[in-house]
Structures are given as C-alpha cells and as structure tokens.
C-alpha cells in the first residue's frame, strides 16, 4: 500500500489557476483519488487493498482527486456513512479511459448540440464529470474548479476490479489536519496536505467535458 503523500506547498495562487483543471497526486503510472465510506466498507478495502464483495459494482460511485474537496464532502470524516476516508491509487490508463468515455453531468449550451442529445449521451456514458469549486484549507470555496468523476456500469466495475493499484486509509491524516486547524496550526496543517499537482492531459482531451 502507498503511504499518504505530503507536501509543504499550498495550491498555486488563484490568478494562475484556470477555471477547470484536474489536480491530483500522481506518478508516471497512477493517479490518486479519494472516497469516503462507512467502516464496514472502508476498513475492509484498506486492509485488503481492494474493494470487498459488498461494494456494489452496479451503482454510481464518485471519485475525487481533490483531498480538500473530499474533506468538504465528508466533514473531515465525521459525517455518517463517511467515517473512513480512502486514498485509492488507480491506473492512469483507466483514468484516461473514464475521461474519454465520460459525459458532462449537466447540460451546457454551446458544448452540447441540444438538451435531448446531451441526455441521450449521459444515459449511455459509463462515466460523468462535474466541476465543483475547489476548497481551501478551511473548506471555503475557491474561484476555480476541480474534477469529480462519477463511474457506473462498466467503468465502476473496471475501477474496482482492474484499475485499483492500492487503497490506503487516510482517515488519521484527515483527523490530524483538522486537529491542527482547531488549534490554530494552519501552517502545520497545510504542510500535511497531499501534494496535488496539475494532472497532464492531452490538449483538447477535456473539451467534451467543458474543460
């Protein structure tokens, strides 16, 4: 399993950030995404390095490359059913396949020919994308957006059974950062954040997703 990566560097200044960008911990072959689960799922997944049989492969599952967006969503691992935060390292080729076959989750005039065509594409797509406001260390919205990737059908099954390289329980990291923030240790908390850097994609690869 991988150790939770850390960095002493904060996100880039707002003026340097495009409105849409994938930011993630990544290597030459993998990208790390985050999910939060109830203990029955999360503990087993981290222990075994794979999702257990009770993980429903026929349902939509959302993965998030942004650690702080995950913290916003799960309330620093305090919300019911989201008590275990997982860092899931997945194959970059699988991630690229999901993006290539994804549809934007919302209709966008000028990007889609019309609403009916978009709805048809959404129903058929094994993945969908939302661009949600990135969050700062205090979970306040920032003026630029980060990726959420929803996987269903073939994409969800491949994510669970083919793309996953390792699964790490990063709940203690989330709790440590939150405790430091409560005590006023903002710089120390920031130093523990995962090292999320711009994720390389080919020019135009996100055009169908509004990116």
């Amino acid at each position: 399993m991988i150790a939770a990566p850390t960095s002493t560097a904060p996100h880039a200044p707002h003026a340097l950030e495009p409105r849409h960008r994938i930011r993630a911990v990544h290597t030459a072959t993998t990208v790390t995404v985050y999910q939060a689960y109830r203990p029955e799922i999360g503990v087993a997944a981290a222990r075994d390095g794979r999702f257990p049989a009770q993980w429903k492969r026929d349902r939509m599952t959302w993965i998030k490359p942004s650690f702080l967006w995950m913290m916003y969503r799960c309330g620093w691992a305090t919300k019911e059913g989201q008590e275990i935060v997982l860092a899931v390292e997945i194959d970059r080729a699988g991630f690229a396949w999901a993006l290539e076959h994804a549809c934007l989750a919302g209709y966008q005039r000028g990007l889609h020919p019309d609403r009916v065509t978009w709805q048809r594409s959404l129903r058929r797509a094994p993945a969908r994308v939302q661009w949600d406001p990135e969050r700062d260390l205090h979970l306040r919205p920032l003026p630029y957006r980060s990726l959420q990737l929803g996987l269903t059908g073939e994409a969800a099954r491949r994510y669970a059974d083919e793309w996953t390289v390792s699964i790490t329980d990063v709940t203690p990291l989330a709790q440590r950062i939150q405790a430091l923030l409560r005590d006023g240790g903002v710089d120390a908390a920031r130093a523990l954040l995962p090292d999320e850097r711009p994720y390389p994609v080919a020019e135009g690869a996100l055009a169908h997703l509004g990116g």
Side-chain angles (χ1 to χ4, degrees), residues 9-206:
H11 284 303
H14 299 176
L16 302 180
E17 287 288 345
R19 180 170 173 79
H20 300 102
R21 171 180 273 174
I22 301 174
R23 304 167 194 84
V25 173
H26 56 87
T27 70
T29 58
T30 65
V31 56
T32 297
V33 297
Y34 300 95
Q35 295 191 290
Y37 289 100
R38 64 184 188 276
E40 304 93 280
I41 297 288
V43 170
R47 180 192 64 226
D48 300 333
R50 57 185 176 83
F51 289 100
Q54 63 263 42
W55 192 90
K56 297 187 183 301
R57 287 153 172 79
D58 57 349
R59 294 178 58 182
M60 175 76 70
T61 189
W62 288 88
I63 59 177
K64 307 160 185 67
S66 168
F67 178 81
L68 285 175
W69 207 98
M70 184 72 259
M71 294 304 99
Y72 165 73
R73 181 68 179 85
C74 71
W76 299 102
T78 62
K79 292 184 180 180
E80 184 178 359
Q82 301 186 64
E83 299 91 344
I84 304 296
V85 181
L86 301 177
V88 185
E89 192 180 25
I90 64 173
D91 180 65
R92 274 176 62 160
F95 188 64
W97 183 93
L99 292 174
E100 179 183 352
H101 292 84
C103 179
L104 197 63
Y107 170 73
Q108 185 172 313
R109 186 186 299 274
L111 179 65
H112 305 110
D114 52 65
R115 190 174 294 274
V116 171
T117 302
W118 162 73
Q119 289 173 333
R120 186 182 303 117
S121 297
L122 188 66
R123 284 195 300 269
R124 294 174 177 173
R128 60 187 59 179
V129 160
Q130 290 183 188
W131 296 99
D132 294 300
E134 180 57 287
R135 300 283 158 168
D136 68 11
L137 194 53
H138 300 283
L139 307 185
R140 298 170 299 203
L142 291 169
Y144 50 89
R145 294 175 177 261
S146 288
L147 179 87
Q148 273 202 85
L149 182 60
L151 308 174
T152 190
E154 180 183 1
R157 292 189 296 272
R158 294 178 69 172
Y159 167 68
D161 300 323
E162 298 177 21
W163 302 343
T164 297
V165 175
S166 69
I167 302 177
T168 302
D169 184 351
V170 292
T171 313
L173 174 64
Q175 293 169 338
R176 175 62 175 155
I177 293 174
Q178 185 189 34
L180 286 168
L181 290 173
R182 273 199 307 262
D183 294 339
V186 174
D187 291 339
R190 184 176 291 111
L192 292 177
L193 290 177
D195 183 17
E196 293 170 7
R197 294 168 287 116
Y199 184 80
V201 293
E203 185 174 356
L206 301 179

